[in-house]
């Protein structure tokens, strides 16, 4: 089992017949034939490339920079060499070839973690990443090579490549392959020959081996018992005490960069701005800023296209524990821009709520960062509509170390009992950043957002309006601003809600009728025919301005 390294590569695939492909970011797609270059408009490269030799060597992967197509295939039999495919193409390992050489692309179902493709069975059945995450007798992200043999990676950092075998008595044995960093394991078998590709800190490792050799690997030596990451004290009560969030969110220089374990990240501070550079990719970053009043979010370039909020306020710098003390941004917009030209791509209405969810006196982050006071902040970008595909996030920040963990939860489960709670079975995804090490990288700025702290006035919390109650509570409000309604329904516009009137029509702030009816026919649903609900108000963006009406359930109106 002699490994060969493709230095600097992030993702790769290897076939038993000797063909292989690996993505070297910002360089090219390297193969057994050499560098085939990059697709048009893709300066970074392809994510999770998979290859086939059926009908000639080809490979395909996920687009990184281009908006559309979402998938590229390199096919030397075509005139252009590169073939583009439109959406969908989402998730972890979203492309794969079956045993007839047919390319498949994942549908990117919302709310499913690792929803791409792991391997193809001898019967030509495609097995998803989601169904093989594990743990399976101690093995994670595994491919089944035979009825009694599986291959994947260890459950712990540094455990490397591992193989699981099962004898005739049904006894499972976990066997040790190369130790060290190991992720994104792809394995392809042809008879007794097995080709393996996986990623580590140095690049993509390619191994050609046999089933006999894999079954003969030595048993895994159990690692020493490691204290679990997590709290060592109960969360503090919501007693009205205030906390300066910056002391937790901004980490000391000696605690960066970090190598994960989920994926690498670095914090780079420039005056009153700081950048989070992700994935060892200078172009994948978030820019934050701070002053005495606010922690701001200026730009997120870790997605494509990059975007920024027209209201850059992220968290009030000082907050109390509890959702009731949260900051609601109210309706505004996100601005998406082309990465290369900064030209506007689209604008979307947006509403977000954030609060200090918990504070722990003692939270253990492993041997590198140790035990630290830690805050958990919640970020709800749903605009008040909690439906399929909409998530609420938690960020964990250790005092003096900054970001250590990120989690995403299905919003329907978060709010199923009223106030937000975060049950473990509602978690969609988790990323951890508590291991020291990695590259000291600065961001490669798009230049689309001014690198200046906004310095906005302090937050003045306002009491939430009642969700229901006697209409007499609102006598001080102009009656034309009160909307009795029958139901609220999600709209096709992200973050927006349709208000169904007692007669079945849709309330529309966009068409400000002089008679004050503000109605549209039942079923109406267009980009600006909807509003964003915050508390007991609905707000519409009309001609660059925001207009709000008070919502009152129809059963409360006499």
């Amino acid at each position: 089992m002699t490994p060969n390294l493709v230095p600097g590569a992030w993702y790769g695939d290897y076939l038993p017949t000797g063909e292989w492909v690996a993505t070297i970011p910002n360089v090219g797609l390297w193969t057994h034939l050499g560098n085939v270059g990059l697709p048009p408009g893709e300066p970074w490269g392809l994510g999770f490339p998979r290859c086939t030799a059926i009908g000639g060597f080809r490979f395909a992967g996920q687009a990184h920079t281009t908006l559309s197509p979402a998938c590229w295939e390199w096919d030397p039999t075509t005139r252009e060499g590169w073939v583009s495919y439109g959406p969908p193409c989402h998730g972890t390992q979203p492309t794969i070839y079956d045993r007839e050489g047919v390319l498949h692309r994942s549908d990117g179902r919302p709310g499913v973690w690792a929803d791409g493709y792991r391997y193809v069975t001898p019967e030509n059945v495609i097995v998803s990443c989601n169904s093989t995450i594990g743990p399976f007798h101690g093995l994670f992200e595994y491919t089944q090579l035979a009825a009694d043999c599986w291959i994947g990676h260890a459950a712990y950092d540094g455990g490397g490549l591992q193989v699981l075998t099962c004898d005739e008595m049904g006894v499972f044995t976990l066997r040790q392959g190369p130790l060290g960093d190991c992720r994104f394991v792809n394995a392809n078998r042809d008879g007794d020959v097995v080709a393996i590709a996986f990623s580590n800190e140095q690049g993509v490792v390619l191994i050609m081996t046999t089933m006999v050799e894999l079954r003969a690997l030595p048993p895994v030596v159990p690692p020493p018992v490691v204290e679990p990451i997590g709290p060592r004290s109960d969360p503090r009560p919501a007693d009205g005490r205030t906390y300066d969030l910056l002391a937790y969110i901004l980490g000391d220089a000696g605690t960066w960069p970090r190598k994960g374990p989920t994926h690498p990240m670095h914090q780079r501070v420039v005056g009153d701005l700081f950048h989070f550079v992700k994935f060892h990719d200078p172009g994948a970053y978030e820019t934050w800023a701070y002053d005495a009043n606010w922690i701001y979010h200026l730009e997120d370039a870790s997605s494509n296209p990059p975007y920024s909020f027209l209201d850059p306020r992220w968290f009030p710098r000082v907050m109390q524990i509890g959702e009731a003390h949260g900051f609601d941004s109210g309706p505004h917009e996100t601005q998406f821009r082309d990465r290369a030209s900064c030209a506007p791509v689209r604008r979307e209405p947006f509403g977000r709520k954030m609060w200090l969810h918990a504070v722990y006196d003692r939270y253990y982050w492993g041997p590198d960062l140790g035990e630290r006071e830690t805050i958990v902040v919640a970020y709800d970008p749903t605009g008040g509509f909690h439906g399929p595909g909409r998530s609420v996030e938690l960020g964990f920040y250790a005092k003096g170390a900054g970001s250590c963990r990120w989690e995403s939860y299905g919003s329907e489960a978060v709010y199923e009992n009223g106030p937000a709670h975060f049950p473990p079975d509602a978690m969609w995804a988790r990323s951890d950043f508590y291991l020291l090490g990695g590259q000291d990288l600065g961001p490669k700025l798009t230049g689309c957002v001014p690198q200046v702290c906004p310095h906005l006035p302090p937050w003045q919390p306002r009491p939430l309006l009642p969700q229901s109650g006697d209409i007499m509570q609102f006598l001080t409000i102009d009656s034309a601003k009160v909307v009795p309604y029958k139901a609220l329904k999600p709209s096709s516009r992200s973050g927006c809600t349709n208000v169904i009137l007692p007669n079945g029509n849709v309330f529309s702030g966009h068409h400000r009728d002089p008679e004050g009816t503000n109605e549209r026919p039942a079923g109406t649903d267009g980009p600006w025919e909807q509003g964003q609900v915050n508390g007991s108000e609905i707000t519409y963006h009309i001609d660059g301005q925001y207009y709000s009406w008070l919502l009152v359930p129809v059963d409360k109106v006499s």
Side-chain angles (χ1 to χ4, degrees):
M1 184 179 287
T2 303
N4 294 302
L5 179 68
V6 184
W10 277 30
Y11 313 107
D13 198 17
Y14 195 17
L15 301 178
T17 46
E19 297 88 352
W20 58 270
V21 60
T23 297
I24 303 180
N26 305 301
V27 176
L29 278 301
W30 284 81
T31 74
H32 59 290
L33 302 173
N35 186 2
V36 302
L38 294 167
E42 283 289 342
W44 189 90
L46 297 185
F48 311 106
R50 304 297 288 267
C51 60
T52 184
I54 301 172
F57 176 66
R58 292 171 292 146
F59 64 83
Q62 183 183 45
H64 180 271
T65 303
T66 48
L67 292 174
S68 181
C71 175
W72 289 95
E73 181 184 36
W74 184 77
D75 184 350
T77 65
T78 63
R79 179 177 177 181
E80 293 82 9
W82 287 103
V83 180
S84 61
Y85 296 93
C89 188
H90 304 282
T92 303
Q93 308 217 108
T95 62
I96 201 169
Y97 293 92
D98 64 22
R99 292 187 176 272
E100 296 177 353
V102 177
L103 175 63
H104 296 262
R105 296 173 290 126
S106 74
D107 61 4
R109 294 163 292 161
V112 181
W113 179 239
D115 52 351
Y117 305 125
R118 185 81 64 200
Y119 66 96
V120 182
T121 70
E123 296 76 26
N124 205 29
V125 175
I126 298 175
V127 179
S128 72
C129 287
N130 191 51
S131 64
T132 57
I133 292 176
F136 179 58
H137 298 278
L139 194 65
F140 280 76
E141 298 187 355
Y142 57 88
T143 294
Q144 186 167 11
L145 298 174
D148 62 347
C149 187
W150 301 259
I151 188 169
H153 68 72
Y156 46 90
D157 186 51
L161 187 74
Q162 294 185 349
V163 174
L164 180 69
T165 59
C166 183
D167 64 19
E168 295 178 353
M169 302 299 293
V171 177
F172 288 90
T173 301
L174 200 57
R175 302 182 180 278
Q176 186 65 64
L179 290 165
D181 189 23
C182 180
R183 57 188 182 274
F184 307 125
V185 179
N186 288 327
N188 298 287
R189 177 188 175 188
D190 183 8
D192 189 50
V193 180
V194 180
I196 306 164
F198 66 87
S199 304
N200 64 19
E201 288 186 327
Q202 287 73 47
V204 166
V205 178
L206 305 176
I207 296 175
M208 192 73 76
T209 185
T210 66
M211 293 295 294
V212 172
E213 190 173 12
L214 292 177
R215 289 190 172 105
L217 289 171
V220 168
V221 176
V225 176
V226 177
E227 291 188 72
I229 302 299
R232 289 178 170 175
S233 64
D234 293 331
R236 291 180 181 175
D239 55 7
R241 178 178 173 180
T242 60
Y243 296 85
D244 184 346
L245 271 59
L246 188 67
Y248 304 85
I249 291 176
L250 189 63
D252 297 336
T255 64
W256 294 97
R258 300 220 275 271
K259 59 182 180 181
T262 308
H263 64 72
M265 187 160 72
H266 184 43
Q267 172 195 276
R268 178 67 70 88
V269 180
V270 182
D272 52 11
L273 274 63
F274 55 104
H275 310 276
F276 292 110
V277 183
K278 307 175 183 179
F279 317 120
H280 287 160
D281 178 6
Y285 67 88
E286 294 185 32
T287 297
W288 295 28
Y290 69 91
D291 59 19
N293 298 324
W294 293 96
I295 296 171
Y296 303 92
H297 189 286
L298 303 187
E299 183 181 25
D300 189 337
S302 61
S303 62
N304 194 62
Y307 68 88
S308 58
F309 299 115
L310 297 192
D311 181 349
R313 296 176 299 172
W314 197 231
F315 295 105
R317 180 162 166 176
V318 176
M319 299 190 79
Q320 298 179 40
I321 298 172
E323 185 180 358
H325 303 290
F327 163 62
D328 192 326
S329 70
H332 56 287
E333 290 182 302
T334 49
Q335 173 72 75
F336 295 85
R337 297 183 181 276
D338 179 84
R339 184 178 293 268
S341 67
C342 293
V345 173
R346 68 181 185 275
R347 290 168 70 151
E348 292 184 356
F350 210 76
R352 17 184 194 104
K353 180 175 68 174
M354 35 270 287
W355 65 92
L356 178 57
H357 180 66
V359 178
Y360 293 92
D361 288 308
R362 302 171 59 210
Y363 205 104
Y364 182 65
W365 290 109
D368 288 357
L369 296 180
E371 183 180 284
R372 293 173 181 261
E373 189 177 318
T374 297
I375 63 170
V376 183
V377 293
Y379 167 58
D380 178 356
T382 64
F385 169 57
H386 311 123
R390 294 175 181 263
S391 67
V392 180
E393 301 173 9
L394 293 180
F396 293 69
Y397 299 89
K399 195 167 189 178
S403 179
C404 291
R405 171 172 284 176
W406 168 89
E407 295 176 344
S408 176
Y409 293 79
S411 63
E412 289 179 299
V414 169
Y415 291 104
E416 64 180 348
N417 297 318
H421 72 301
F422 297 88
D425 58 357
M427 186 189 301
W428 287 356
R430 170 184 284 172
S431 293
D432 286 318
F433 327 102
Y434 52 76
L435 298 178
L436 296 182
Q439 300 181 37
D440 182 3
L441 295 176
K444 183 180 179 182
L445 299 175
T446 63
C448 302
V449 175
Q451 299 293 295
V452 178
C453 182
H455 294 295
L456 296 177
W459 176 42
Q460 296 295 329
R462 61 172 181 166
L464 291 177
L465 291 170
Q467 293 296 315
S468 62
D470 195 305
I471 188 67
M472 297 299 291
Q473 296 180 61
F474 310 118
L475 284 179
T476 57
I477 301 176
D478 182 352
S479 61
K481 294 285 188 178
V482 176
V483 180
Y485 72 96
K486 179 172 64 175
L488 301 177
K489 291 187 176 180
S491 72
S492 63
R493 188 74 172 179
S494 174
C496 294
T497 303
N498 284 325
V499 178
I500 310 302
L501 297 171
N503 62 5
N505 288 346
V506 179
F507 179 76
S508 173
H510 184 61
H511 293 272
R512 286 167 286 158
D513 191 318
E515 302 297 323
T517 58
N518 289 301
E519 291 187 24
R520 298 281 286 171
T524 299
D525 193 20
W528 295 109
E529 307 301 331
Q530 314 128 52
Q532 292 182 303
V533 174
N534 295 277
S536 294
E537 292 179 299
I538 185 165
T539 304
Y540 288 79
H541 181 275
I542 305 169
D543 302 328
Q545 300 295 319
Y546 291 101
Y547 299 86
S548 295
W549 287 262
L550 184 66
L551 296 177
V552 182
V554 69
D555 61 351
K556 300 299 180 183
V557 182
S558 57

